[in-house]
Amino acid sequence: MKNTKYVFVTGGVTSSLGKGIIAASLAKLLQERGYSVTIQKLDPYINIDPGTLNPYEHGECFVTDDGAETDLDLGHYERYLNIPTSQANNVTTGRIYQSVIEKERKGEFLGKTVQVIPHITDEIKNRIQILGNTGEYDIVITEIGGTIGDIESLPYVEAVRQLRWDLGKNNSVVIHLTLVPYLAAAGELKTKPTQHSVKMLMQSGVSPDVLVCRSEHKLSESIKGKLALFCNVEEEAIISSLDAETIYDVPNLMLQEGLDNVVLKNLNLTSKDNPLLTEWNQFLTKHKNPKSKIEIGLIGKYVELHDSYKSITEALIHAGATNETKVNVNWLHSEEFTEENAAEKLKGLDGILVAPGFGERGIEGKIAAVQYAREQKIPFLGICLGMQMAVIEYSRNVLGLEKANSTEMNRKTPHPVINIMEEQKTITHKGGTMRLGAWKCALKDGSKVREVYKEEIIDERHRHRYEFNNEYLEQIENAGMIATGKNPDTDLVEIVEIEDHPWFVGVQYHPEYKSTVLNPHPLFVAFVKASLEKSLS
């Protein structure tokens, strides 16, 4: 079994500095050097998982193949490393406490008083080491959510302190991501916030081995020397992280700063290969030097926070690079649409994407956008709820079923063309009970999706409770909307297409979750290509 090494990434001074991107970039460089790497995220909130969180709280909920509802940072991990994550890659305080309390109820603690130390910290340590104990990975990178000093993060920091002692010398590294602000009035970078952040971390018994310093200006040698002196960190281990043009520049920037070399040195590992990032840089070149430009309208109900659709926007970037096309996303709130104003608000778009979501708010606006895309022959991609809205729109305006709807929005609709799944009808708990994870889908010969995927059976990730109602399938297909993808075991409709439309596809699953830099999702590639052809016509 491999002697797995551990890297811990903490954050200080402020949130939103980009711990996930730094962790993913380091992992990419270590992967390029020939090491087997994975990343996990420890989230200090008490929810069991992000599945019941409003997207405005934490952005999108990312779903893994094994059905785990996780933090959106796992999407970054998959997009950078091109390998799938799992339930073990995301742990929350809620899950930690749930596990400990269940053990206490079973009598596993032999009458002991259950406390934060050792019981909660032991559970955290066990969760951190689950991936390492599989023997699959040389290095496990663990990102600790929140900011040093937060009360809810303290048990995680204590667990890291204990685990570093347990692992012994040269088996772990702590990277502290911090902010070195630039004061325009003084014309200086200020190190004091970083000094205080490191001091707070050290008060918890953890000394950082590496400082990654976010800043608007490059750190001078004197600034690095000052940080080294006051933070007990070697000068070569103080890494400057400037604002980047795109998050996909960060692996190259960290390579230039030598972050991977510093980490390997601290872990007493030698470099197997030099990181070339050949395919990565080919993607970057296409991304930064597009030959064409298209306008895509993203119709959603959470568009105020762009992170609510993070995987979708990244999948469009990947597909755009493949087509050597810049994809401009127009963020359009579905509550602002009506059948009367849709033409005015959607004019000039080369493609329309109706995004996922839950609940009744903004539904009629999505339906109006679908109708416009269908009637004006604009390339259309509907994802999850977007696919369901396409079915409802077609049922109302083509089949003449005026009050067709989903039972999610109207339980008493006379035409429930979208209905709750049979196995969902008796469920009362909301968390972790949807149809989740990877499910198979058989593609119909001669369909657009069969041509796109070039496979007969595909696996895609799901997150929904409601489904296409097969009682209406024959009626809808006779009118020209065809079910071109079905689950081979349950016969659930997964994909719909419209025959007399240049490119109209609705999918019940979430293709965006599987798009990566090195493997852009074929459905997004085809959608962007169709939109490009529309723009050139």
Side-chain angles (χ1 to χ4, degrees):
M1 183 178 285
K2 295 178 180 178
N3 177 29
T4 303
K5 310 268 188 173
Y6 292 85
V7 177
F8 302 100
V9 181
T10 61
V13 181
T14 181
S15 60
S16 301
L17 291 179
K19 292 191 299 295
I21 299 300
I22 291 296
S25 298
L26 172 61
K28 184 65 189 175
L29 295 177
L30 295 173
Q31 186 187 61
E32 285 277 315
R33 287 187 179 276
Y35 289 100
S36 175
V37 188
T38 191
I39 321 174
Q40 64 182 172
K41 174 80 180 286
L42 306 183
D43 277 310
Y45 48 75
I46 300 176
N47 302 68
I48 300 295
D49 57 43
T52 57
L53 289 175
N54 189 306
Y56 291 132
E57 294 277 333
H58 277 268
E60 78 170 4
C61 175
F62 187 82
V63 177
T64 59
D65 278 339
D66 63 353
E69 294 176 289
T70 70
D71 186 84
L72 63 79
D73 273 331
L74 269 72
H76 290 310
Y77 306 162
E78 291 200 10
R79 287 188 282 274
Y80 276 59
L81 294 181
N82 201 37
I83 57 173
T85 53
S86 68
Q87 178 68 75
N89 292 82
N90 193 201
V91 180
T92 68
T93 295
R95 196 172 291 279
I96 295 292
Y97 273 82
Q98 182 187 49
S99 178
V100 170
I101 290 168
E102 284 176 355
K103 288 177 181 178
E104 186 274 333
R105 291 290 82 188
K106 292 176 183 176
E108 291 186 24
F109 297 121
L110 303 175
K112 297 282 187 183
T113 301
V114 180
Q115 298 175 290
V116 173
I117 302 172
H119 302 99
I120 297 298
T121 50
D122 282 352
E123 185 69 23
I124 293 170
K125 288 192 292 182
N126 290 338
R127 295 298 180 112
I128 289 172
Q129 294 179 94
I130 283 175
L131 290 165
N133 290 339
T134 64
E136 295 178 28
Y137 303 106
D138 300 306
I139 301 169
V140 174
I141 299 176
T142 302
E143 176 195 348
I144 299 174
T147 306
I148 292 301
D150 294 345
I151 291 174
E152 56 262 37
S153 297
L154 289 175
Y156 292 100
V157 178
E158 170 60 19
V160 169
R161 184 195 69 78
Q162 294 179 22
L163 190 53
R164 295 197 79 194
W165 178 261
D166 296 340
L167 292 169
K169 194 174 180 181
N170 298 127
N171 286 315
S172 67
V173 170
V174 172
I175 298 173
H176 191 53
L177 176 63
T178 181
L179 178 68
V180 179
Y182 178 77
L183 295 189
E188 291 179 332
L189 291 169
K190 291 296 183 180
T191 64
K192 193 62 74 177
T194 294
Q195 292 179 44
H196 280 295
S197 182
V198 171
K199 182 179 180 181
M200 194 171 293
L201 183 60
M202 293 175 73
Q203 284 175 341
S204 298
V206 177
S207 295
D209 302 294
V210 182
L211 287 182
V212 177
C213 303
R214 284 294 306 273
S215 180
E216 297 174 39
H217 300 273
K218 191 169 180 65
L219 304 185
S220 65
E221 291 305 312
S222 63
I223 291 285
K224 286 189 174 184
K226 188 175 181 180
L227 285 169
L229 178 64
F230 288 106
C231 298
N232 290 351
V233 176
E234 292 184 20
E235 200 165 321
E236 69 170 6
I238 295 173
I239 306 297
S240 180
S241 178
L242 301 178
D243 294 345
E245 181 183 344
T246 165
I247 59 172
Y248 298 112
D249 280 326
V250 178
N252 280 307
L253 296 175
M254 291 300 99
L255 178 62
Q256 292 167 17
E257 286 288 316
L259 175 61
D260 52 330
N261 277 322
V262 171
V263 168
L264 289 174
K265 179 181 175 183
N266 276 274
L267 294 174
N268 199 26
L269 294 173
T270 56
S271 177
K272 295 183 177 182
D273 304 296
N274 289 322
L276 299 176
L277 294 171
T278 304
E279 292 179 274
W280 188 274
N281 288 329
Q282 287 171 354
F283 156 78
L284 265 178
T285 299
K286 290 181 179 179
H287 175 50
K288 292 186 173 184
N289 300 281
K291 296 177 180 177
S292 307
K293 182 179 76 171
I294 59 172
E295 302 291 332
I296 298 293
L298 193 156
I299 320 296
K301 58 169 75 176
Y302 315 112
V303 294
E304 299 94 331
L305 182 66
H306 293 181
D307 274 0
S308 300
Y309 305 104
K310 190 64 177 175
S311 290
I312 290 176
T313 54
E314 297 307 310
L316 288 170
I317 288 172
H318 306 155
T322 302
N323 286 283
E324 297 184 83
T325 298
K326 179 176 175 57
V327 179
N328 283 335
V329 175
N330 295 257
W331 298 89
L332 303 170
H333 203 297
S334 59
E335 284 189 287
E336 298 174 0
F337 287 98
T338 63
E339 192 175 335
E340 289 72 30
N341 69 16
E344 175 64 27
K345 290 184 175 292
L346 296 171
K347 68 180 180 182
L349 295 178
D350 303 307
I352 292 174
L353 190 156
V354 176
F358 294 92
E360 188 176 359
R361 183 173 63 89
I363 289 307
E364 294 302 323
K366 289 190 175 188
I367 291 171
V370 173
Q371 182 178 358
Y372 180 81
R374 178 180 60 80
E375 293 177 347
Q376 300 302 315
K377 308 293 186 185
I378 296 173
F380 169 85
L381 177 59
I383 298 175
C384 198
L385 185 66
M387 172 266 204
Q388 295 177 1
M389 295 304 101
V391 173
I392 292 170
E393 189 279 326
Y394 204 80
S395 300
R396 288 181 183 179
N397 298 321
V398 178
L399 274 69
L401 306 177
E402 289 185 14
K403 295 185 179 179
N405 213 326
S406 166
T407 52
E408 180 182 7
M409 320 308 166
N410 180 3
R411 291 185 180 182
K412 296 181 179 179
T413 174
H415 300 293
V417 292
I418 303 296
N419 202 358
I420 193 165
M421 301 173 70
E422 196 61 38
E423 62 268 27
Q424 291 285 324
K425 291 181 178 178
T426 57
I427 288 175
T428 55
H429 285 52
K430 297 295 185 186
T433 56
M434 287 185 277
R435 186 183 185 220
L436 293 165
W439 293 78
K440 292 188 183 302
C441 175
L443 305 182
K444 188 172 184 177
D445 284 338
S447 63
K448 285 187 177 67
V449 285
R450 180 66 185 273
E451 182 183 337
V452 165
Y453 280 96
K454 295 178 172 54
E455 293 180 36
E456 185 180 346
I457 303 289
I458 58 171
D459 276 288
E460 291 286 3
R461 300 178 190 177
H462 294 67
R463 185 172 182 252
H464 64 104
R465 292 187 197 280
Y466 293 80
E467 61 170 318
F468 185 108
N469 188 344
N470 280 342
E471 290 181 12
Y472 289 86
L473 179 58
E474 183 178 354
Q475 193 175 351
I476 290 173
E477 286 199 318
N478 287 339
M481 176 178 272
I482 310 300
T484 56
K486 292 183 180 181
N487 181 278
D489 301 316
T490 63
D491 208 36
L492 293 181
V493 173
E494 300 275 10
I495 308 171
V496 294
E497 297 179 20
I498 294 179
E499 290 181 310
D500 64 346
H501 191 286
W503 209 92
F504 190 106
V505 176
V507 295
Q508 182 60 75
Y509 50 82
H510 290 261
E512 69 272 21
Y513 292 149
K514 295 185 76 169
S515 186
T516 70
V517 170
L518 300 188
N519 280 308
H521 196 285
L523 205 56
F524 279 90
V525 172
F527 173 58
V528 169
K529 183 181 178 182
S531 301
L532 177 59
E533 290 171 354
K534 157 77 169 56
S535 75
L536 298 174
S537 62

PDB file of all heavy atoms in Angstrom, residues 244-259:
ATOM      1  N   ALA A 244      -5.569  36.608 -11.603  1.00  0.00           N
ATOM      2  CA  ALA A 244      -5.340  36.013 -12.913  1.00  0.00           C
ATOM      3  C   ALA A 244      -6.454  36.386 -13.878  1.00  0.00           C
ATOM      4  O   ALA A 244      -7.577  36.683 -13.478  1.00  0.00           O
ATOM      5  CB  ALA A 244      -5.245  34.488 -12.792  1.00  0.00           C
ATOM      6  N   GLU A 245      -6.124  36.354 -15.173  1.00  0.00           N
ATOM      7  CA  GLU A 245      -7.109  36.645 -16.209  1.00  0.00           C
ATOM      8  C   GLU A 245      -8.239  35.617 -16.190  1.00  0.00           C
ATOM      9  O   GLU A 245      -9.393  35.936 -16.407  1.00  0.00           O
ATOM     10  CB  GLU A 245      -6.405  36.655 -17.577  1.00  0.00           C
ATOM     11  CG  GLU A 245      -7.305  36.979 -18.751  1.00  0.00           C
ATOM     12  CD  GLU A 245      -6.565  36.893 -20.085  1.00  0.00           C
ATOM     13  OE1 GLU A 245      -5.316  36.885 -20.086  1.00  0.00           O
ATOM     14  OE2 GLU A 245      -7.244  36.815 -21.125  1.00  0.00           O
ATOM     15  N   THR A 246      -7.889  34.371 -15.934  1.00  0.00           N
ATOM     16  CA  THR A 246      -8.848  33.273 -15.847  1.00  0.00           C
ATOM     17  C   THR A 246      -8.354  32.283 -14.802  1.00  0.00           C
ATOM     18  O   THR A 246      -7.133  32.180 -14.566  1.00  0.00           O
ATOM     19  CB  THR A 246      -9.024  32.567 -17.210  1.00  0.00           C
ATOM     20  OG1 THR A 246      -9.689  31.312 -17.018  1.00  0.00           O
ATOM     21  CG2 THR A 246      -7.697  32.299 -17.884  1.00  0.00           C
ATOM     22  N   ILE A 247      -9.268  31.548 -14.182  1.00  0.00           N
ATOM     23  CA  ILE A 247      -8.846  30.571 -13.172  1.00  0.00           C
ATOM     24  C   ILE A 247      -7.966  29.487 -13.777  1.00  0.00           C
ATOM     25  O   ILE A 247      -7.192  28.837 -13.070  1.00  0.00           O
ATOM     26  CB  ILE A 247     -10.052  29.926 -12.464  1.00  0.00           C
ATOM     27  CG1 ILE A 247     -10.969  29.207 -13.456  1.00  0.00           C
ATOM     28  CG2 ILE A 247     -10.826  30.945 -11.649  1.00  0.00           C
ATOM     29  CD1 ILE A 247     -12.071  28.380 -12.799  1.00  0.00           C
ATOM     30  N   TYR A 248      -8.060  29.311 -15.089  1.00  0.00           N
ATOM     31  CA  TYR A 248      -7.264  28.265 -15.738  1.00  0.00           C
ATOM     32  C   TYR A 248      -5.813  28.686 -15.959  1.00  0.00           C
ATOM     33  O   TYR A 248      -4.985  27.890 -16.389  1.00  0.00           O
ATOM     34  CB  TYR A 248      -7.928  27.852 -17.052  1.00  0.00           C
ATOM     35  CG  TYR A 248      -9.305  27.260 -16.837  1.00  0.00           C
ATOM     36  CD1 TYR A 248     -10.452  27.921 -17.271  1.00  0.00           C
ATOM     37  CD2 TYR A 248      -9.465  26.056 -16.162  1.00  0.00           C
ATOM     38  CE1 TYR A 248     -11.722  27.387 -17.046  1.00  0.00           C
ATOM     39  CE2 TYR A 248     -10.724  25.522 -15.933  1.00  0.00           C
ATOM     40  CZ  TYR A 248     -11.848  26.185 -16.375  1.00  0.00           C
ATOM     41  OH  TYR A 248     -13.099  25.655 -16.142  1.00  0.00           O
ATOM     42  N   ASP A 249      -5.486  29.962 -15.636  1.00  0.00           N
ATOM     43  CA  ASP A 249      -4.096  30.412 -15.653  1.00  0.00           C
ATOM     44  C   ASP A 249      -3.349  30.018 -14.388  1.00  0.00           C
ATOM     45  O   ASP A 249      -2.117  30.003 -14.364  1.00  0.00           O
ATOM     46  CB  ASP A 249      -4.031  31.945 -15.776  1.00  0.00           C
ATOM     47  CG  ASP A 249      -4.228  32.440 -17.191  1.00  0.00           C
ATOM     48  OD1 ASP A 249      -3.790  31.745 -18.125  1.00  0.00           O
ATOM     49  OD2 ASP A 249      -4.820  33.528 -17.367  1.00  0.00           O
ATOM     50  N   VAL A 250      -4.102  29.725 -13.329  1.00  0.00           N
ATOM     51  CA  VAL A 250      -3.478  29.575 -12.008  1.00  0.00           C
ATOM     52  C   VAL A 250      -2.468  28.420 -11.941  1.00  0.00           C
ATOM     53  O   VAL A 250      -1.399  28.585 -11.340  1.00  0.00           O
ATOM     54  CB  VAL A 250      -4.552  29.458 -10.909  1.00  0.00           C
ATOM     55  CG1 VAL A 250      -3.918  29.263  -9.528  1.00  0.00           C
ATOM     56  CG2 VAL A 250      -5.430  30.707 -10.900  1.00  0.00           C
ATOM     57  N   PRO A 251      -2.720  27.245 -12.558  1.00  0.00           N
ATOM     58  CA  PRO A 251      -1.674  26.211 -12.508  1.00  0.00           C
ATOM     59  C   PRO A 251      -0.333  26.687 -13.083  1.00  0.00           C
ATOM     60  O   PRO A 251       0.727  26.403 -12.500  1.00  0.00           O
ATOM     61  CB  PRO A 251      -2.271  25.075 -13.360  1.00  0.00           C
ATOM     62  CG  PRO A 251      -3.738  25.232 -13.206  1.00  0.00           C
ATOM     63  CD  PRO A 251      -3.969  26.720 -13.168  1.00  0.00           C
ATOM     64  N   ASN A 252      -0.364  27.431 -14.179  1.00  0.00           N
ATOM     65  CA  ASN A 252       0.882  27.954 -14.755  1.00  0.00           C
ATOM     66  C   ASN A 252       1.531  28.980 -13.836  1.00  0.00           C
ATOM     67  O   ASN A 252       2.768  29.007 -13.685  1.00  0.00           O
ATOM     68  CB  ASN A 252       0.600  28.591 -16.122  1.00  0.00           C
ATOM     69  CG  ASN A 252       0.476  27.550 -17.222  1.00  0.00           C
ATOM     70  OD1 ASN A 252       1.351  26.711 -17.411  1.00  0.00           O
ATOM     71  ND2 ASN A 252      -0.632  27.587 -17.954  1.00  0.00           N
ATOM     72  N   LEU A 253       0.715  29.817 -13.196  1.00  0.00           N
ATOM     73  CA  LEU A 253       1.259  30.820 -12.281  1.00  0.00           C
ATOM     74  C   LEU A 253       1.896  30.161 -11.060  1.00  0.00           C
ATOM     75  O   LEU A 253       2.965  30.578 -10.596  1.00  0.00           O
ATOM     76  CB  LEU A 253       0.151  31.788 -11.844  1.00  0.00           C
ATOM     77  CG  LEU A 253      -0.469  32.645 -12.957  1.00  0.00           C
ATOM     78  CD1 LEU A 253      -1.636  33.466 -12.417  1.00  0.00           C
ATOM     79  CD2 LEU A 253       0.581  33.563 -13.580  1.00  0.00           C
ATOM     80  N   MET A 254       1.259  29.111 -10.559  1.00  0.00           N
ATOM     81  CA  MET A 254       1.818  28.399  -9.403  1.00  0.00           C
ATOM     82  C   MET A 254       3.081  27.620  -9.797  1.00  0.00           C
ATOM     83  O   MET A 254       4.002  27.467  -8.989  1.00  0.00           O
ATOM     84  CB  MET A 254       0.768  27.459  -8.802  1.00  0.00           C
ATOM     85  CG  MET A 254      -0.393  28.171  -8.126  1.00  0.00           C
ATOM     86  SD  MET A 254       0.094  29.253  -6.750  1.00  0.00           S
ATOM     87  CE  MET A 254       0.093  30.876  -7.573  1.00  0.00           C
ATOM     88  N   LEU A 255       3.122  27.153 -11.036  1.00  0.00           N
ATOM     89  CA  LEU A 255       4.331  26.478 -11.537  1.00  0.00           C
ATOM     90  C   LEU A 255       5.499  27.462 -11.579  1.00  0.00           C
ATOM     91  O   LEU A 255       6.621  27.143 -11.160  1.00  0.00           O
ATOM     92  CB  LEU A 255       4.057  25.904 -12.926  1.00  0.00           C
ATOM     93  CG  LEU A 255       5.231  25.206 -13.635  1.00  0.00           C
ATOM     94  CD1 LEU A 255       5.700  23.999 -12.828  1.00  0.00           C
ATOM     95  CD2 LEU A 255       4.821  24.776 -15.051  1.00  0.00           C
ATOM     96  N   GLN A 256       5.221  28.682 -12.059  1.00  0.00           N
ATOM     97  CA  GLN A 256       6.265  29.707 -12.124  1.00  0.00           C
ATOM     98  C   GLN A 256       6.766  30.085 -10.732  1.00  0.00           C
ATOM     99  O   GLN A 256       7.958  30.360 -10.541  1.00  0.00           O
ATOM    100  CB  GLN A 256       5.733  30.948 -12.835  1.00  0.00           C
ATOM    101  CG  GLN A 256       5.444  30.755 -14.313  1.00  0.00           C
ATOM    102  CD  GLN A 256       4.624  31.895 -14.896  1.00  0.00           C
ATOM    103  OE1 GLN A 256       4.517  32.980 -14.310  1.00  0.00           O
ATOM    104  NE2 GLN A 256       4.018  31.660 -16.058  1.00  0.00           N
ATOM    105  N   GLU A 257       5.865  30.083  -9.764  1.00  0.00           N
ATOM    106  CA  GLU A 257       6.240  30.435  -8.395  1.00  0.00           C
ATOM    107  C   GLU A 257       6.911  29.275  -7.649  1.00  0.00           C
ATOM    108  O   GLU A 257       7.461  29.464  -6.567  1.00  0.00           O
ATOM    109  CB  GLU A 257       4.999  30.892  -7.620  1.00  0.00           C
ATOM    110  CG  GLU A 257       4.514  32.274  -7.992  1.00  0.00           C
ATOM    111  CD  GLU A 257       5.438  33.374  -7.484  1.00  0.00           C
ATOM    112  OE1 GLU A 257       5.875  33.309  -6.318  1.00  0.00           O
ATOM    113  OE2 GLU A 257       5.733  34.302  -8.259  1.00  0.00           O
ATOM    114  N   GLY A 258       6.802  28.063  -8.219  1.00  0.00           N
ATOM    115  CA  GLY A 258       7.459  26.910  -7.602  1.00  0.00           C
ATOM    116  C   GLY A 258       6.698  26.286  -6.456  1.00  0.00           C
ATOM    117  O   GLY A 258       7.287  25.616  -5.590  1.00  0.00           O
ATOM    118  N   LEU A 259       5.374  26.460  -6.423  1.00  0.00           N
ATOM    119  CA  LEU A 259       4.585  25.901  -5.326  1.00  0.00           C
ATOM    120  C   LEU A 259       4.732  24.393  -5.232  1.00  0.00           C
ATOM    121  O   LEU A 259       4.899  23.831  -4.136  1.00  0.00           O
ATOM    122  CB  LEU A 259       3.107  26.273  -5.512  1.00  0.00           C
ATOM    123  CG  LEU A 259       2.119  25.670  -4.502  1.00  0.00           C
ATOM    124  CD1 LEU A 259       2.449  26.111  -3.078  1.00  0.00           C
ATOM    125  CD2 LEU A 259       0.682  26.039  -4.852  1.00  0.00           C
TER     126      LEU A 259
END
